């Protein structure tokens, strides 16, 4: 199937999952995870209606950015781990940072965004599975609390929600408890009405489990393989 056909089919599946959960499909953003894929395929996805794209690495997107600059209404989100020494470049290149995982990084991003005269939306990445090999903040950790309480001081940063990558399992249903956990964490934070923090975005669900994520409240599903095909093996 072509990229256009893949996207149409994914949107149908999102809509069906939303209906099962009594939700409006319009509430759910389909992000095209374009990491490792060439500019030509990104353009195909754009032509098919994708406007939000996810990239994993600052260096990789820096190479693509100039070739995609004419896609003026496209949004480029960093979804991979960001080292604090690359915060300035990330703030320059990306529309949003969806993998905030420390107060130190938040400070650097805000400072860089201020220099550029922009406000940078961010999501806090939560490591719901407690996997050592993955980045993200542990639920209930001191670091999470620090970010939530210090958010008002980062004038050029917007904390808009949460993101997670649950432990991988080929069975989509296995992700449900992790997605539910993230939604409950989000609800708990939202109920505190903290200054400088909104919890409008819940980014969870990928190619193999996005329907379960939608059923559990995701507002943004990050789909790569199901749109673009299998990535080339290194």
């Amino acid at each position: 199937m072509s990229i256009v056909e893949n996207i149409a089919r994914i949107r149908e599946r999102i809509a069906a999952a939303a209906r099962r959960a009594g939700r409006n499909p319009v509430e759910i953003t389909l992000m095209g995870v374009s990491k490792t894929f060439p500019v030509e395929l990104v353009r195909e996805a754009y032509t098919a209606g994708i406007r939000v794209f996810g990239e994993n690495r600052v260096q990789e997107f820096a190479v693509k950015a100039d070739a995609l600059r004419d896609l003026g209404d496209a949004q480029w989100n960093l979804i991979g781990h960001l080292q604090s020494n690359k915060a300035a470049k990330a703030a320059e290149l990306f529309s949003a940072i969806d993998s905030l995982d420390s107060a130190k990084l938040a400070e650097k991003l805000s400072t860089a965004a201020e220099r550029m005269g922009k406000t940078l939306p961010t999501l806090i990445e939560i490591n719901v599975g407690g996997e050592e090999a993955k980045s993200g903040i542990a639920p209930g950790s001191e670091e999470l609390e620090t970010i939530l309480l210090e958010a008002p001081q980062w004038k050029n940063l917007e904390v808009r929600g949460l993101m997670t990558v649950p432990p991988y399992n080929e069975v989509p249903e296995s992700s449900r408890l992790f997605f539910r956990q993230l939604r409950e964490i989000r609800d708990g934070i939202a109920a505190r009405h903290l200054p400088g923090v909104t919890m409008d975005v819940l980014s969870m669900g990928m190619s193999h489990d996005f329907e379960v994520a939608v059923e559990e409240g995701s507002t943004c599903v990050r789909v790569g393989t199901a749109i673009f095909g299998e990535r080339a093996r290194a």
Side-chain angles (χ1 to χ4, degrees):
M1 295 177 72
S2 68
I3 286 177
V4 171
E5 292 170 325
N6 289 343
I7 290 171
R9 176 61 181 144
I10 291 163
R11 290 198 187 281
E12 289 173 1
R13 291 167 62 189
I14 289 172
R19 286 193 295 271
R20 289 194 296 272
R23 301 181 62 199
N24 185 342
V26 174
E27 300 171 356
I28 301 144
T29 298
L30 172 57
M31 175 190 290
V33 178
S34 49
K35 64 176 185 179
T36 78
F37 291 110
V39 167
E40 294 75 22
L41 296 189
V42 176
R43 286 185 174 279
E44 282 190 47
Y46 179 88
T47 300
I50 298 294
R51 289 296 179 271
V52 181
F53 293 88
E55 290 281 335
N56 251 36
R57 298 179 184 276
V58 174
Q59 305 96 308
E60 180 192 342
F61 184 62
V63 175
K64 292 180 180 179
D66 282 341
L68 296 167
R69 204 173 299 280
D70 59 305
L71 307 184
D73 60 341
Q75 178 175 316
W76 310 101
N77 291 31
L78 180 67
I79 59 175
H81 175 65
L82 176 60
Q83 296 173 327
S84 58
N85 63 354
K86 295 176 182 172
K89 189 63 175 178
E92 174 191 335
L93 288 173
F94 290 97
S95 312
I97 307 296
D98 291 356
S99 51
L100 181 64
D101 61 1
S102 73
K104 177 184 176 183
L105 178 59
E107 176 69 32
K108 287 183 175 292
L109 286 169
S110 182
T111 299
E114 182 179 13
R115 284 199 299 266
M116 282 174 277
K118 67 190 287 188
T119 300
L120 199 59
T122 64
L123 303 181
I124 303 171
E125 182 176 3
I126 305 293
N127 188 342
V128 288
E131 297 174 277
E132 292 185 5
K134 283 183 180 172
S135 55
I137 303 173
S141 66
E142 289 185 15
E143 191 69 25
L144 175 58
E145 188 67 8
T146 297
I147 291 174
L148 294 174
L149 294 180
E150 294 187 3
Q153 75 183 34
W154 302 315
K155 301 300 184 183
N156 292 73
L157 221 59
E158 295 178 346
V159 178
R160 299 186 56 199
L162 306 177
M163 184 270 267
T164 199
V165 182
Y168 181 80
N169 190 305
E170 291 185 1
V171 180
E173 189 63 30
S174 68
S175 298
R176 188 176 298 276
L177 289 179
F178 296 106
F179 294 151
R180 189 169 296 166
Q181 180 185 0
L182 191 73
R183 187 187 74 226
E184 291 170 352
I185 294 169
R186 187 276 310 270
D187 291 348
I189 295 171
R192 295 168 65 182
H193 302 290
L194 296 167
V197 175
T198 60
M199 284 285 128
D200 300 328
V201 181
L202 204 55
S203 176
M204 57 187 193
M206 296 184 287
S207 288
H208 68 293
D209 59 10
F210 67 83
E211 289 156 302
V212 176
V214 169
E215 291 171 358
E216 291 299 328
S218 177
T219 66
C220 177
V221 295
R222 309 183 304 273
V223 180
T225 302
I227 290 175
F228 298 104
E230 293 292 335
R231 291 181 173 84
R233 298 292 180 185

